[in-house]
Amino acid sequence: MKRHWDWVTGLLISSAVSVLIYFPLSRCWYFADDFYWVKYGIDTWNNLGSIFTHRFFNYYRPVVNLLFTVESLWAQTDALPRHILNLSLHLGSGIFLYVWLKQLLGSIMAALTGSLLLLLGPIHMETVIWISGRTDLSAAFWLLLCLVTLPRLTGATTTTTENKTGMLKMISLGSLVLAVLSKETAVLIPVAILVNDWMRSAEGSQQFNCSKWMRQRVAWLTCSAVALILHLFIQATGDVTFKTLSNADQTLAFFSNLPGGVALTLSQFFP
């Protein structure tokens, strides 16, 4: 029972401190690229298919596009709900990192320290506050969930173990797909998986077998390879296959019609 309370205490501490630091900043409005994203999310409701068939800002990141589109259903031009979603993704990443480090290192203090460094590190502040930073937040959230639910390398298994492993595998692979469709750099996740499995094998005093690792992780390796090829293909072909959506003039006109002197602010970003 004490062990469970230690986990809960660590999670509560890291979560509470993060909320206390960042929530007051949710009163900030938009900045620079945020205007593009807000207008994009509102417009895309009229053409949902473009989320998956078009690039935005020259990148193919449909998961992030989808988040902005769905969010526009209730947020419209209000910044607060968008800041809350960013904070929620960041908080979720901190919790997943805590759980992963606890699994990996077996130390609550080490896990709590790592989680707090992620949640409160000044290098992450811009990503959380800036609405457009959601690309990194989404990729980190799904990547860490992939690692948390990653099934351990197994030998002989029972039916119960296979069922549990199968469920974890589905969640982990699904999270990997969402991560690589949030930001292309997530294709490097096999490196983190390799480190994870190597450290866990050392923990059990087992010799790490590279060929066995590749056989059991073939689904993750294949998914990452396919995603890398997809991103390279899209970037190489450009607007021939996935057209880029962005229009500064329409964005400027849209926000200029809102009350509050928005046009003067926007003129600094869209000269």
Side-chain angles (χ1 to χ4, degrees):
M1 181 64 70
K2 182 179 182 300
R3 181 182 178 186
H4 292 297
W5 275 112
D6 288 340
W7 275 68
V8 172
T9 302
L11 289 173
L12 287 177
I13 290 175
S14 57
S15 302
V17 173
S18 181
V19 171
L20 287 173
I21 294 294
Y22 281 108
F23 189 74
L25 299 174
S26 62
R27 298 176 181 176
C28 299
W29 207 49
Y30 303 128
F31 177 77
D33 293 347
D34 294 348
F35 295 101
Y36 275 122
W37 279 110
V38 172
K39 182 67 164 58
Y40 168 85
I42 294 173
D43 290 345
T44 308
W45 272 112
N46 299 322
N47 185 14
L48 291 175
S50 65
I51 294 175
F52 303 98
T53 60
H54 289 70
R55 298 182 299 162
F56 188 64
F57 279 138
N58 298 317
Y59 294 104
Y60 185 67
R61 297 166 177 173
V63 171
V64 180
N65 298 353
L66 182 62
L67 285 175
F68 274 101
T69 301
V70 173
E71 180 185 56
S72 297
L73 196 61
W74 62 86
Q76 289 297 310
T77 57
D78 189 3
L80 178 60
R82 302 176 188 277
H83 282 298
I84 291 177
L85 180 53
N86 270 25
L87 178 56
S88 299
L89 289 171
H90 186 56
L91 185 60
S93 296
I95 292 173
F96 292 148
L97 180 62
Y98 176 87
V99 175
W100 182 53
L101 291 177
K102 179 64 176 64
Q103 294 173 348
L104 202 61
L105 305 175
S107 168
I108 290 178
M109 284 305 300
L112 181 59
T113 301
S115 177
L116 288 175
L117 283 174
L118 173 68
L119 290 173
L120 305 179
I123 194 173
H124 304 294
M125 183 169 291
E126 179 181 323
T127 303
V128 180
I129 299 173
W130 194 22
I131 301 297
S132 305
R134 185 173 301 167
T135 298
D136 297 313
L137 296 176
S138 178
F141 179 89
W142 296 114
L143 188 150
L144 287 166
L145 180 57
C146 172
L147 293 174
V148 167
T149 57
L150 186 70
R152 299 194 66 159
L153 295 176
T154 59
T157 58
T158 63
T159 302
T160 303
T161 305
E162 288 179 350
N163 291 338
K164 181 180 179 181
T165 301
M167 181 62 68
L168 290 175
K169 181 178 180 180
M170 289 177 59
I171 297 174
S172 183
L173 283 172
S175 300
L176 172 57
V177 171
L178 293 172
V180 297
L181 292 180
S182 293
K183 192 170 185 178
E184 50 283 348
T185 50
V187 299
L188 297 175
I189 195 173
V191 177
I193 294 175
L194 176 61
V195 173
N196 174 85
D197 292 335
W198 178 77
M199 291 186 67
R200 286 197 168 189
S201 64
E203 169 191 309
S205 300
Q206 301 175 2
Q207 185 176 3
F208 183 78
N209 188 309
C210 189
S211 60
K212 176 184 176 181
W213 177 80
M214 293 186 69
R215 286 196 304 271
Q216 294 199 22
R217 299 305 188 207
V218 64
W220 288 264
L221 295 173
T222 302
C223 183
S224 297
V226 170
L228 176 60
I229 293 171
L230 174 65
H231 281 296
L232 289 175
F233 171 75
I234 291 173
Q235 291 303 112
T237 56
D239 284 351
V240 174
T241 52
F242 291 82
K243 293 186 180 301
T244 301
L245 295 177
S246 63
N247 190 312
D249 293 333
Q250 291 182 6
T251 303
L252 178 60
F254 175 78
F255 281 95
S256 295
N257 291 328
L258 297 178
V262 181
L264 178 61
T265 304
L266 279 178
S267 64
Q268 302 171 21
F269 307 126
F270 306 115

